[in-house]
Amino acid sequence: MKARSLLPAAVATIALFASAVLADVDPIVIKGSKFFYKSNGTEFFIKGVAYQQNFNGNGSASSTTDSNAYTDPLADVASCTRDVPLLRELKANTIRVYAIDPSKDHSQCMRMLQDAGIYVVSDLSQPGLSINRDSPSWDDQLYARYVSVIDEMVKYNNVIGFFAGNEVANAANNTQATPFVKAAVRDMKAYIKQRNYRPMGVGYATSDDAAIRENLADYFNCGPTDSSIDFWGYNIYSWCGQSDYQTSGYADRTKAFADYSVPVFFAEYGCNVPKPRRFDEVQALYGPQMSPVWSGGIVYMYFQEENDYGLVTVSGSTASKLPDYTALSSQLAQVTPTAVNQASYAPTNTQARACPPTGAGWNASATLPPTPNKDLCGCAMKNLTCVAKAGITTESVGQLFGTVCGLDKSACAGIVADGSTGTYGALSMCNATEKLSWVFNAYYLHQSPSNRASACDFGGNAVTQQPSTPSGTCKDLLSQAGAAATGSVSSTPTAGGSGGSSSGGGSGSGSGSGSAASPSATKKGAAGAVTVPVVDVGLVKLGVSLLGAVGTGVGLILL
């Protein structure tokens, strides 16, 4: 294990990079099922490393006391200065980051990566702002978060694209969350086009769950191209130790994706049983059997942490190589995947998959949730008489939904979001406070005039306001939504960095997650049960299925 301090040599190192690499890297583009350098048409194979320290996943912590704080690795100049030379020495050409802060400056780290010839794939979510498999939603605050990441990262030509979700559905009993992720894919692709940004892919990173992996791959690829993924990331940890192409299941997975119409790559790989890792799978991944189908992969993970997947240990300005680093570096140095040229490449696998039918083992409708529209949500809020007070806690929001929907099911029809049946209220994409205000008001209006004076209280959590008279676009939006908000709204959200955001207090996303998960978990792959990292996603559960909860917290209403 060799330790080195890089900060004293930072200026010289960066200058060396700058002299060896063009000022602007060649963007990566997609044609058929392959990546290419835009200018010269050479096929691009991802030789990547996951790069984010002390990250528990997108709100995956199961305890309400866990923090959703994270460190943006692309805004940490000191760490980038220390680590980018080691990534380059490793012969990595891509990193995956799981959460960035769009409000921070990423120019210095992105420049270092660019000068080292290293590209970035970024997840769009963050802890506390992501799609929860147990209580899924696709709302205006999530939309705002996702587009803000795109707005920030489009500045840099070495950004390949984005993941709209990571292992959201990981078992047959939570596949109903999948339509919400696919809606995010659809809307982020549309946003990139609306803003006239350069082409950047939007994909999904899936787990290797044998019960649903084929349906997941089909589902995200089926239907109109406007809503299907641009690339498919596969988190797979089935090659352990001295395995081989057949035993690991790699042969079966390669056969399964041989005719897939978009690029596929390993979004995470690198089983750590036994240690140290040998990384023999690198030769298979970039070899003649797999490279015609797979576009490379991303090793989990750069930093050594409790789950024991690290390539290096770090302390301040010093990074120390571990045996895994040396083994991976040696393996990557030996690979030369057979590439095709973009100009002569004529894709034959252009047929999208058929959407899997719902039934036993698959519970995701092909009908997707509506696009979040802050204009509609804001307009609806101005038109209400009874609204939720600002500052209601996340726990209380869940209880209050259960209360109102239990007492008056019809009041909640406009906010229902059921991915299994494809039933979505027009306001299901508004944030939690906006949706709560809508159901408060619907319940209020359903009372007799003589009872309304006391019907807008809800334990002191509601207040009356003077509604405005809708006109123009607002009137048109409300007309499309309908009086019960069960209609379809064809208008698209206003484009812009905050175009999907609403200023209402509270959030449909909250913080934390209803997903019981930890930074590592046990999964069973082709090679048996192995310990793999889980970078999970999730928001706070609202505590109820909006139309299924009956009578929950009825005592909270004071009439």
Side-chain angles (χ1 to χ4, degrees), residues 160-308:
I160 296 173
F162 309 94
F163 284 127
N166 183 84
E167 299 189 9
V168 179
N170 65 353
N173 63 1
N174 54 40
T175 56
Q176 71 278 359
T178 310
F180 297 89
V181 186
K182 192 168 181 179
V185 171
R186 174 200 65 201
D187 293 342
M188 295 306 99
K189 291 179 64 168
Y191 182 78
I192 290 170
K193 290 181 180 179
Q194 289 166 4
R195 300 290 287 174
N196 292 318
Y197 288 155
R198 66 175 178 83
M200 295 178 292
V202 182
Y204 178 74
T206 185
S207 64
D208 183 33
D209 187 283
I212 60 172
R213 61 192 177 194
E214 292 185 10
N215 280 338
L216 279 168
D218 291 350
Y219 183 83
F220 277 97
N221 184 245
C222 74
T225 56
D226 288 346
S227 59
S228 61
I229 41 97
D230 294 318
F231 52 73
W232 187 245
Y234 202 67
N235 298 344
I236 182 169
Y237 293 83
S238 60
W239 187 308
C240 297
Q242 292 180 288
S243 189
D244 58 54
Y245 183 59
Q246 295 291 337
T247 306
S248 65
Y250 277 28
D252 292 336
R253 296 299 88 221
T254 300
K255 182 179 179 180
F257 286 99
D259 64 348
Y260 210 58
S261 63
V262 300
V264 293
F265 59 92
F266 289 176
E268 292 176 2
Y269 76 98
C271 171
N272 68 347
V273 179
K275 290 279 287 183
R277 292 184 281 184
R278 297 164 52 95
F279 289 111
D280 292 337
E281 66 265 44
V282 168
Q283 301 306 313
L285 179 59
Y286 299 96
Q289 291 176 300
M290 295 186 70
S291 61
V293 175
W294 300 91
S295 295
I298 298 170
V299 167
Y300 190 91
M301 121 85 61
Y302 182 80
F303 297 99
Q304 175 70 341
E305 296 177 332
E306 289 184 11
N307 59 13
D308 202 23

